[in-house]
PDB file of all heavy atoms in Angstrom:
ATOM      1  N   ILE V   1      29.078  45.877 147.628  1.00 85.00           N
ATOM      2  CA  ILE V   1      30.486  45.750 147.778  1.00 85.00           C
ATOM      3  C   ILE V   1      31.184  46.925 146.863  1.00 85.00           C
ATOM      4  O   ILE V   1      30.942  47.103 145.793  1.00 85.00           O
ATOM      5  CB  ILE V   1      30.924  44.389 147.081  1.00 85.00           C
ATOM      6  CG1 ILE V   1      30.215  43.305 147.772  1.00 85.00           C
ATOM      7  CG2 ILE V   1      32.430  44.325 147.104  1.00 85.00           C
ATOM      8  CD1 ILE V   1      30.313  41.851 147.061  1.00 85.00           C
ATOM      9  N   HIS V   2      31.838  47.768 147.773  1.00 86.00           N
ATOM     10  CA  HIS V   2      32.581  48.937 147.156  1.00 86.00           C
ATOM     11  C   HIS V   2      33.594  49.409 148.105  1.00 86.00           C
ATOM     12  O   HIS V   2      33.628  49.097 149.179  1.00 86.00           O
ATOM     13  CB  HIS V   2      31.551  50.079 146.727  1.00 86.00           C
ATOM     14  CG  HIS V   2      30.785  50.400 147.888  1.00 86.00           C
ATOM     15  ND1 HIS V   2      31.295  51.290 148.882  1.00 86.00           N
ATOM     16  CD2 HIS V   2      29.508  50.103 148.341  1.00 86.00           C
ATOM     17  CE1 HIS V   2      30.235  51.513 149.812  1.00 86.00           C
ATOM     18  NE2 HIS V   2      29.215  50.788 149.567  1.00 86.00           N
ATOM     19  N   THR V   3      34.402  50.308 147.672  1.00 85.00           N
ATOM     20  CA  THR V   3      35.388  50.830 148.421  1.00 85.00           C
ATOM     21  C   THR V   3      35.210  52.456 148.851  1.00 85.00           C
ATOM     22  O   THR V   3      35.979  53.129 149.364  1.00 85.00           O
ATOM     23  CB  THR V   3      36.851  50.842 147.763  1.00 85.00           C
ATOM     24  OG1 THR V   3      36.644  51.603 146.429  1.00 85.00           O
ATOM     25  CG2 THR V   3      37.221  49.493 147.501  1.00 85.00           C
ATOM     26  N   ASN V   4      33.989  52.820 148.592  1.00 84.00           N
ATOM     27  CA  ASN V   4      33.645  54.294 148.744  1.00 84.00           C
ATOM     28  C   ASN V   4      33.860  54.706 150.301  1.00 84.00           C
ATOM     29  O   ASN V   4      34.319  55.742 150.588  1.00 84.00           O
ATOM     30  CB  ASN V   4      32.200  54.638 148.415  1.00 84.00           C
ATOM     31  CG  ASN V   4      31.982  54.438 146.959  1.00 84.00           C
ATOM     32  OD1 ASN V   4      32.929  54.413 146.226  1.00 84.00           O
ATOM     33  ND2 ASN V   4      30.747  54.426 146.439  1.00 84.00           N
ATOM     34  N   GLY V   5      33.463  53.820 151.181  1.00 84.00           N
ATOM     35  CA  GLY V   5      33.644  54.223 152.649  1.00 84.00           C
ATOM     36  C   GLY V   5      35.099  54.445 153.032  1.00 84.00           C
ATOM     37  O   GLY V   5      35.347  55.505 153.628  1.00 84.00           O
ATOM     38  N   ILE V   6      35.851  53.463 152.722  1.00 86.00           N
ATOM     39  CA  ILE V   6      37.430  53.703 153.174  1.00 86.00           C
ATOM     40  C   ILE V   6      38.019  54.832 152.434  1.00 86.00           C
ATOM     41  O   ILE V   6      38.864  55.447 152.968  1.00 86.00           O
ATOM     42  CB  ILE V   6      38.145  52.285 153.015  1.00 86.00           C
ATOM     43  CG1 ILE V   6      39.404  52.386 153.791  1.00 86.00           C
ATOM     44  CG2 ILE V   6      38.230  51.875 151.554  1.00 86.00           C
ATOM     45  CD1 ILE V   6      39.339  52.517 155.324  1.00 86.00           C
ATOM     46  N   GLU V   7      37.710  55.022 151.174  1.00 88.00           N
ATOM     47  CA  GLU V   7      38.224  56.082 150.337  1.00 88.00           C
ATOM     48  C   GLU V   7      37.822  57.365 151.021  1.00 88.00           C
ATOM     49  O   GLU V   7      38.557  58.331 151.053  1.00 88.00           O
ATOM     50  CB  GLU V   7      37.884  55.981 148.816  1.00 88.00           C
ATOM     51  CG  GLU V   7      38.493  54.801 148.081  1.00 88.00           C
ATOM     52  CD  GLU V   7      38.080  54.659 146.844  1.00 88.00           C
ATOM     53  OE1 GLU V   7      37.102  55.351 146.233  1.00 88.00           O
ATOM     54  OE2 GLU V   7      38.510  53.748 146.148  1.00 88.00           O
ATOM     55  N   ASN V   8      36.612  57.491 151.385  1.00 89.00           N
ATOM     56  CA  ASN V   8      36.035  58.696 152.060  1.00 89.00           C
ATOM     57  C   ASN V   8      36.840  59.052 153.302  1.00 89.00           C
ATOM     58  O   ASN V   8      37.309  60.102 153.669  1.00 89.00           O
ATOM     59  CB  ASN V   8      34.520  58.501 152.280  1.00 89.00           C
ATOM     60  CG  ASN V   8      33.854  59.881 152.795  1.00 89.00           C
ATOM     61  OD1 ASN V   8      34.412  60.936 152.653  1.00 89.00           O
ATOM     62  ND2 ASN V   8      32.834  59.623 153.627  1.00 89.00           N
ATOM     63  N   PHE V   9      37.009  57.945 154.115  1.00 91.00           N
ATOM     64  CA  PHE V   9      37.801  58.049 155.440  1.00 91.00           C
ATOM     65  C   PHE V   9      39.122  58.565 155.157  1.00 91.00           C
ATOM     66  O   PHE V   9      39.546  59.580 155.867  1.00 91.00           O
ATOM     67  CB  PHE V   9      37.841  56.704 156.092  1.00 91.00           C
ATOM     68  CG  PHE V   9      38.650  56.726 157.271  1.00 91.00           C
ATOM     69  CD1 PHE V   9      38.087  57.086 158.525  1.00 91.00           C
ATOM     70  CD2 PHE V   9      40.000  56.390 157.337  1.00 91.00           C
ATOM     71  CE1 PHE V   9      38.927  57.056 159.772  1.00 91.00           C
ATOM     72  CE2 PHE V   9      40.759  56.451 158.502  1.00 91.00           C
ATOM     73  CZ  PHE V   9      40.149  56.871 159.691  1.00 91.00           C
ATOM     74  N   TRP V  10      39.866  58.061 154.325  1.00 91.00           N
ATOM     75  CA  TRP V  10      41.304  58.455 153.994  1.00 91.00           C
ATOM     76  C   TRP V  10      41.401  59.877 153.395  1.00 91.00           C
ATOM     77  O   TRP V  10      42.299  60.674 153.903  1.00 91.00           O
ATOM     78  CB  TRP V  10      41.995  57.480 153.049  1.00 91.00           C
ATOM     79  CG  TRP V  10      42.274  56.154 153.670  1.00 91.00           C
ATOM     80  CD1 TRP V  10      41.787  54.939 153.383  1.00 91.00           C
ATOM     81  CD2 TRP V  10      43.134  55.935 154.914  1.00 91.00           C
ATOM     82  NE1 TRP V  10      42.187  53.980 154.219  1.00 91.00           N
ATOM     83  CE2 TRP V  10      43.012  54.615 155.275  1.00 91.00           C
ATOM     84  CE3 TRP V  10      43.787  56.742 155.780  1.00 91.00           C
ATOM     85  CZ2 TRP V  10      43.706  53.967 156.369  1.00 91.00           C
ATOM     86  CZ3 TRP V  10      44.358  56.193 156.839  1.00 91.00           C
ATOM     87  CH2 TRP V  10      44.365  54.876 157.110  1.00 91.00           C
ATOM     88  N   ILE V  11      40.460  60.242 152.432  1.00 91.00           N
ATOM     89  CA  ILE V  11      40.559  61.660 152.015  1.00 91.00           C
ATOM     90  C   ILE V  11      40.248  62.696 153.085  1.00 91.00           C
ATOM     91  O   ILE V  11      40.842  63.643 153.157  1.00 91.00           O
ATOM     92  CB  ILE V  11      39.702  61.834 150.795  1.00 91.00           C
ATOM     93  CG1 ILE V  11      40.011  63.067 150.035  1.00 91.00           C
ATOM     94  CG2 ILE V  11      38.266  61.835 151.138  1.00 91.00           C
ATOM     95  CD1 ILE V  11      41.443  63.210 149.458  1.00 91.00           C
ATOM     96  N   LEU V  12      39.323  62.338 154.019  1.00 89.00           N
ATOM     97  CA  LEU V  12      38.950  63.238 155.013  1.00 89.00           C
ATOM     98  C   LEU V  12      40.235  63.352 156.037  1.00 89.00           C
ATOM     99  O   LEU V  12      40.510  64.398 156.476  1.00 89.00           O
ATOM    100  CB  LEU V  12      37.715  62.750 155.847  1.00 89.00           C
ATOM    101  CG  LEU V  12      36.453  63.055 155.005  1.00 89.00           C
ATOM    102  CD1 LEU V  12      35.208  62.428 155.685  1.00 89.00           C
ATOM    103  CD2 LEU V  12      36.152  64.566 154.650  1.00 89.00           C
ATOM    104  N   LEU V  13      40.836  62.205 156.335  1.00 89.00           N
ATOM    105  CA  LEU V  13      42.002  62.262 157.083  1.00 89.00           C
ATOM    106  C   LEU V  13      43.246  63.040 156.626  1.00 89.00           C
ATOM    107  O   LEU V  13      43.828  63.913 157.183  1.00 89.00           O
ATOM    108  CB  LEU V  13      42.524  60.801 157.433  1.00 89.00           C
ATOM    109  CG  LEU V  13      43.800  60.642 158.243  1.00 89.00           C
ATOM    110  CD1 LEU V  13      43.593  61.231 159.619  1.00 89.00           C
ATOM    111  CD2 LEU V  13      44.303  59.217 158.260  1.00 89.00           C
ATOM    112  N   LYS V  14      43.379  62.852 155.268  1.00 90.00           N
ATOM    113  CA  LYS V  14      44.481  63.652 154.525  1.00 90.00           C
ATOM    114  C   LYS V  14      44.103  65.196 154.544  1.00 90.00           C
ATOM    115  O   LYS V  14      44.986  65.956 154.815  1.00 90.00           O
ATOM    116  CB  LYS V  14      44.537  63.239 153.132  1.00 90.00           C
ATOM    117  CG  LYS V  14      45.159  61.847 152.869  1.00 90.00           C
ATOM    118  CD  LYS V  14      45.189  61.462 151.420  1.00 90.00           C
ATOM    119  CE  LYS V  14      45.624  60.087 151.214  1.00 90.00           C
ATOM    120  NZ  LYS V  14      45.843  59.793 149.715  1.00 90.00           N
ATOM    121  N   ARG V  15      42.863  65.452 154.407  1.00 89.00           N
ATOM    122  CA  ARG V  15      42.518  67.004 154.459  1.00 89.00           C
ATOM    123  C   ARG V  15      42.726  67.376 155.862  1.00 89.00           C
ATOM    124  O   ARG V  15      43.180  68.656 155.915  1.00 89.00           O
ATOM    125  CB  ARG V  15      41.044  67.079 154.078  1.00 89.00           C
ATOM    126  CG  ARG V  15      40.836  66.941 152.552  1.00 89.00           C
ATOM    127  CD  ARG V  15      39.284  67.131 152.279  1.00 89.00           C
ATOM    128  NE  ARG V  15      39.044  66.868 150.875  1.00 89.00           N
ATOM    129  CZ  ARG V  15      37.915  66.699 150.460  1.00 89.00           C
ATOM    130  NH1 ARG V  15      36.792  66.844 151.179  1.00 89.00           N
ATOM    131  NH2 ARG V  15      37.616  66.373 149.185  1.00 89.00           N
ATOM    132  N   SER V  16      42.356  66.732 156.930  1.00 87.00           N
ATOM    133  CA  SER V  16      42.591  67.272 158.291  1.00 87.00           C
ATOM    134  C   SER V  16      44.045  67.431 158.580  1.00 87.00           C
ATOM    135  O   SER V  16      44.507  68.298 159.199  1.00 87.00           O
ATOM    136  CB  SER V  16      41.864  66.262 159.245  1.00 87.00           C
ATOM    137  OG  SER V  16      42.428  65.076 159.368  1.00 87.00           O
ATOM    138  N   ILE V  17      44.821  66.442 158.173  1.00 85.00           N
ATOM    139  CA  ILE V  17      46.308  66.552 158.455  1.00 85.00           C
ATOM    140  C   ILE V  17      46.914  67.791 157.680  1.00 85.00           C
ATOM    141  O   ILE V  17      47.674  68.478 158.280  1.00 85.00           O
ATOM    142  CB  ILE V  17      47.028  65.190 158.108  1.00 85.00           C
ATOM    143  CG1 ILE V  17      46.533  64.171 159.046  1.00 85.00           C
ATOM    144  CG2 ILE V  17      48.547  65.474 158.033  1.00 85.00           C
ATOM    145  CD1 ILE V  17      47.131  62.747 158.747  1.00 85.00           C
ATOM    146  N   HIS V  18      46.544  67.922 156.427  1.00 86.00           N
ATOM    147  CA  HIS V  18      47.183  69.046 155.708  1.00 86.00           C
ATOM    148  C   HIS V  18      46.572  70.331 155.929  1.00 86.00           C
ATOM    149  O   HIS V  18      47.220  71.344 155.822  1.00 86.00           O
ATOM    150  CB  HIS V  18      47.097  68.736 154.123  1.00 86.00           C
ATOM    151  CG  HIS V  18      47.931  67.378 153.696  1.00 86.00           C
ATOM    152  ND1 HIS V  18      49.310  67.506 153.800  1.00 86.00           N
ATOM    153  CD2 HIS V  18      47.611  66.390 153.259  1.00 86.00           C
ATOM    154  CE1 HIS V  18      49.858  66.428 153.343  1.00 86.00           C
ATOM    155  NE2 HIS V  18      48.799  65.648 153.036  1.00 86.00           N
ATOM    156  N   GLY V  19      45.331  70.380 156.355  1.00 85.00           N
ATOM    157  CA  GLY V  19      44.614  71.554 156.624  1.00 85.00           C
ATOM    158  C   GLY V  19      44.596  72.111 158.025  1.00 85.00           C
ATOM    159  O   GLY V  19      45.029  73.067 158.406  1.00 85.00           O
ATOM    160  N   THR V  20      43.917  71.185 158.928  1.00 83.00           N
ATOM    161  CA  THR V  20      43.759  71.588 160.401  1.00 83.00           C
ATOM    162  C   THR V  20      45.059  71.395 161.048  1.00 83.00           C
ATOM    163  O   THR V  20      45.488  72.347 161.859  1.00 83.00           O
ATOM    164  CB  THR V  20      42.698  70.686 160.968  1.00 83.00           C
ATOM    165  OG1 THR V  20      41.506  70.776 160.145  1.00 83.00           O
ATOM    166  CG2 THR V  20      42.395  71.175 162.352  1.00 83.00           C
ATOM    167  N   TYR V  21      45.643  70.217 160.998  1.00 82.00           N
ATOM    168  CA  TYR V  21      46.859  69.994 161.852  1.00 82.00           C
ATOM    169  C   TYR V  21      48.190  70.375 161.253  1.00 82.00           C
ATOM    170  O   TYR V  21      49.167  70.611 162.043  1.00 82.00           O
ATOM    171  CB  TYR V  21      46.951  68.528 162.089  1.00 82.00           C
ATOM    172  CG  TYR V  21      45.563  68.065 162.826  1.00 82.00           C
ATOM    173  CD1 TYR V  21      44.791  67.124 162.329  1.00 82.00           C
ATOM    174  CD2 TYR V  21      45.209  68.576 164.050  1.00 82.00           C
ATOM    175  CE1 TYR V  21      43.603  66.720 162.810  1.00 82.00           C
ATOM    176  CE2 TYR V  21      44.057  68.194 164.736  1.00 82.00           C
ATOM    177  CZ  TYR V  21      43.265  67.229 164.091  1.00 82.00           C
ATOM    178  OH  TYR V  21      42.056  66.737 164.666  1.00 82.00           O
ATOM    179  N   VAL V  22      48.288  70.541 159.974  1.00 79.00           N
ATOM    180  CA  VAL V  22      49.433  70.974 159.280  1.00 79.00           C
ATOM    181  C   VAL V  22      50.627  69.990 159.358  1.00 79.00           C
ATOM    182  O   VAL V  22      51.256  69.480 158.453  1.00 79.00           O
ATOM    183  CB  VAL V  22      49.789  72.366 159.548  1.00 79.00           C
ATOM    184  CG1 VAL V  22      51.048  72.870 158.713  1.00 79.00           C
ATOM    185  CG2 VAL V  22      48.689  73.279 159.379  1.00 79.00           C
ATOM    186  N   SER V  23      51.032  69.605 160.641  1.00 80.00           N
ATOM    187  CA  SER V  23      52.142  68.788 160.896  1.00 80.00           C
ATOM    188  C   SER V  23      51.778  67.676 161.935  1.00 80.00           C
ATOM    189  O   SER V  23      51.059  68.050 162.976  1.00 80.00           O
ATOM    190  CB  SER V  23      53.315  69.626 161.251  1.00 80.00           C
ATOM    191  OG  SER V  23      54.323  68.784 161.639  1.00 80.00           O
ATOM    192  N   VAL V  24      52.068  66.439 161.660  1.00 84.00           N
ATOM    193  CA  VAL V  24      51.748  65.507 162.678  1.00 84.00           C
ATOM    194  C   VAL V  24      53.144  64.758 162.895  1.00 84.00           C
ATOM    195  O   VAL V  24      53.757  64.188 162.160  1.00 84.00           O
ATOM    196  CB  VAL V  24      50.742  64.398 162.039  1.00 84.00           C
ATOM    197  CG1 VAL V  24      50.541  63.240 162.930  1.00 84.00           C
ATOM    198  CG2 VAL V  24      49.432  65.087 161.706  1.00 84.00           C
ATOM    199  N   GLU V  25      53.331  64.577 164.216  1.00 86.00           N
ATOM    200  CA  GLU V  25      54.582  63.947 164.695  1.00 86.00           C
ATOM    201  C   GLU V  25      54.260  62.385 164.691  1.00 86.00           C
ATOM    202  O   GLU V  25      53.215  61.994 165.166  1.00 86.00           O
ATOM    203  CB  GLU V  25      54.945  64.306 166.059  1.00 86.00           C
ATOM    204  CG  GLU V  25      55.407  65.790 166.254  1.00 86.00           C
ATOM    205  CD  GLU V  25      56.827  65.958 165.471  1.00 86.00           C
ATOM    206  OE1 GLU V  25      57.585  65.175 165.406  1.00 86.00           O
ATOM    207  OE2 GLU V  25      56.927  67.171 164.864  1.00 86.00           O
ATOM    208  N   PRO V  26      55.167  61.518 164.347  1.00 88.00           N
ATOM    209  CA  PRO V  26      54.958  60.172 164.273  1.00 88.00           C
ATOM    210  C   PRO V  26      54.528  59.606 165.649  1.00 88.00           C
ATOM    211  O   PRO V  26      53.779  58.625 165.707  1.00 88.00           O
ATOM    212  CB  PRO V  26      56.297  59.585 163.916  1.00 88.00           C
ATOM    213  CG  PRO V  26      56.877  60.664 163.005  1.00 88.00           C
ATOM    214  CD  PRO V  26      56.411  61.882 163.598  1.00 88.00           C
ATOM    215  N   PHE V  27      55.139  60.120 166.728  1.00 85.00           N
ATOM    216  CA  PHE V  27      54.745  59.578 168.008  1.00 85.00           C
ATOM    217  C   PHE V  27      53.309  59.801 168.336  1.00 85.00           C
ATOM    218  O   PHE V  27      52.758  58.851 169.164  1.00 85.00           O
ATOM    219  CB  PHE V  27      55.657  60.441 169.100  1.00 85.00           C
ATOM    220  CG  PHE V  27      55.283  60.087 170.514  1.00 85.00           C
ATOM    221  CD1 PHE V  27      55.730  58.923 171.125  1.00 85.00           C
ATOM    222  CD2 PHE V  27      54.486  60.937 171.253  1.00 85.00           C
ATOM    223  CE1 PHE V  27      55.476  58.559 172.333  1.00 85.00           C
ATOM    224  CE2 PHE V  27      54.105  60.565 172.642  1.00 85.00           C
ATOM    225  CZ  PHE V  27      54.632  59.481 173.151  1.00 85.00           C
ATOM    226  N   HIS V  28      52.653  60.868 167.776  1.00 85.00           N
ATOM    227  CA  HIS V  28      51.213  61.166 168.109  1.00 85.00           C
ATOM    228  C   HIS V  28      50.320  60.621 166.935  1.00 85.00           C
ATOM    229  O   HIS V  28      49.112  60.886 167.108  1.00 85.00           O
ATOM    230  CB  HIS V  28      51.106  62.649 168.286  1.00 85.00           C
ATOM    231  CG  HIS V  28      51.749  63.157 169.431  1.00 85.00           C
ATOM    232  ND1 HIS V  28      51.468  62.906 170.747  1.00 85.00           N
ATOM    233  CD2 HIS V  28      52.895  64.056 169.461  1.00 85.00           C
ATOM    234  CE1 HIS V  28      52.356  63.578 171.510  1.00 85.00           C
ATOM    235  NE2 HIS V  28      53.212  64.212 170.813  1.00 85.00           N
ATOM    236  N   LEU V  29      50.787  59.976 166.006  1.00 88.00           N
ATOM    237  CA  LEU V  29      49.955  59.631 164.818  1.00 88.00           C
ATOM    238  C   LEU V  29      48.740  58.768 165.211  1.00 88.00           C
ATOM    239  O   LEU V  29      47.637  58.986 164.733  1.00 88.00           O
ATOM    240  CB  LEU V  29      50.818  58.866 163.742  1.00 88.00           C
ATOM    241  CG  LEU V  29      50.003  58.411 162.489  1.00 88.00           C
ATOM    242  CD1 LEU V  29      49.539  59.764 161.794  1.00 88.00           C
ATOM    243  CD2 LEU V  29      50.911  57.623 161.494  1.00 88.00           C
ATOM    244  N   PHE V  30      49.011  57.798 166.127  1.00 90.00           N
ATOM    245  CA  PHE V  30      47.869  56.977 166.589  1.00 90.00           C
ATOM    246  C   PHE V  30      46.782  57.775 167.213  1.00 90.00           C
ATOM    247  O   PHE V  30      45.605  57.417 167.134  1.00 90.00           O
ATOM    248  CB  PHE V  30      48.367  55.797 167.506  1.00 90.00           C
ATOM    249  CG  PHE V  30      48.733  56.268 168.819  1.00 90.00           C
ATOM    250  CD1 PHE V  30      47.818  56.125 169.841  1.00 90.00           C
ATOM    251  CD2 PHE V  30      49.942  56.703 169.135  1.00 90.00           C
ATOM    252  CE1 PHE V  30      48.056  56.482 171.247  1.00 90.00           C
ATOM    253  CE2 PHE V  30      50.324  57.081 170.396  1.00 90.00           C
ATOM    254  CZ  PHE V  30      49.404  56.898 171.446  1.00 90.00           C
ATOM    255  N   ARG V  31      47.137  58.860 167.792  1.00 88.00           N
ATOM    256  CA  ARG V  31      46.091  59.783 168.410  1.00 88.00           C
ATOM    257  C   ARG V  31      45.369  60.467 167.420  1.00 88.00           C
ATOM    258  O   ARG V  31      44.079  60.612 167.591  1.00 88.00           O
ATOM    259  CB  ARG V  31      46.728  60.823 169.487  1.00 88.00           C
ATOM    260  CG  ARG V  31      47.420  60.006 170.635  1.00 88.00           C
ATOM    261  CD  ARG V  31      48.008  61.115 171.691  1.00 88.00           C
ATOM    262  NE  ARG V  31      48.473  60.405 172.826  1.00 88.00           N
ATOM    263  CZ  ARG V  31      49.779  60.123 173.016  1.00 88.00           C
ATOM    264  NH1 ARG V  31      50.684  60.443 172.243  1.00 88.00           N
ATOM    265  NH2 ARG V  31      50.000  59.499 174.208  1.00 88.00           N
ATOM    266  N   TYR V  32      46.058  60.986 166.427  1.00 89.00           N
ATOM    267  CA  TYR V  32      45.211  61.659 165.340  1.00 89.00           C
ATOM    268  C   TYR V  32      44.315  60.706 164.630  1.00 89.00           C
ATOM    269  O   TYR V  32      43.148  60.995 164.299  1.00 89.00           O
ATOM    270  CB  TYR V  32      46.164  62.342 164.280  1.00 89.00           C
ATOM    271  CG  TYR V  32      46.925  63.485 164.786  1.00 89.00           C
ATOM    272  CD1 TYR V  32      48.191  63.421 165.241  1.00 89.00           C
ATOM    273  CD2 TYR V  32      46.297  64.767 164.759  1.00 89.00           C
ATOM    274  CE1 TYR V  32      48.827  64.543 165.635  1.00 89.00           C
ATOM    275  CE2 TYR V  32      46.958  65.859 165.185  1.00 89.00           C
ATOM    276  CZ  TYR V  32      48.229  65.729 165.584  1.00 89.00           C
ATOM    277  OH  TYR V  32      48.938  66.866 166.052  1.00 89.00           O
ATOM    278  N   LEU V  33      44.713  59.407 164.493  1.00 91.00           N
ATOM    279  CA  LEU V  33      43.967  58.444 163.799  1.00 91.00           C
ATOM    280  C   LEU V  33      42.816  57.952 164.772  1.00 91.00           C
ATOM    281  O   LEU V  33      41.621  57.817 164.203  1.00 91.00           O
ATOM    282  CB  LEU V  33      44.704  57.071 163.544  1.00 91.00           C
ATOM    283  CG  LEU V  33      45.790  57.372 162.348  1.00 91.00           C
ATOM    284  CD1 LEU V  33      46.599  56.009 162.333  1.00 91.00           C
ATOM    285  CD2 LEU V  33      45.104  57.508 161.072  1.00 91.00           C
TER     286      LEU V  33
END
């Protein structure tokens, strides 16, 4: 029982949004997810 998996998921998502994609439109957010 731990939160490491979900914390890993969210930090990788944040890095991809700020690094690879730079800007994400709300209309497309579900696609990025």
Side-chain angles (χ1 to χ4, degrees):
I1 304 167
H2 56 79
T3 58
N4 294 346
I6 194 65
E7 289 173 358
N8 185 26
F9 176 87
W10 287 118
I11 194 66
L12 291 173
L13 176 65
K14 288 179 186 179
R15 286 181 188 166
S16 68
I17 289 175
H18 294 295
T20 304
Y21 302 117
V22 182
S23 176
V24 173
E25 293 295 326
F27 176 79
H28 297 294
L29 182 60
F30 74 97
R31 292 183 175 103
Y32 287 99
L33 290 171

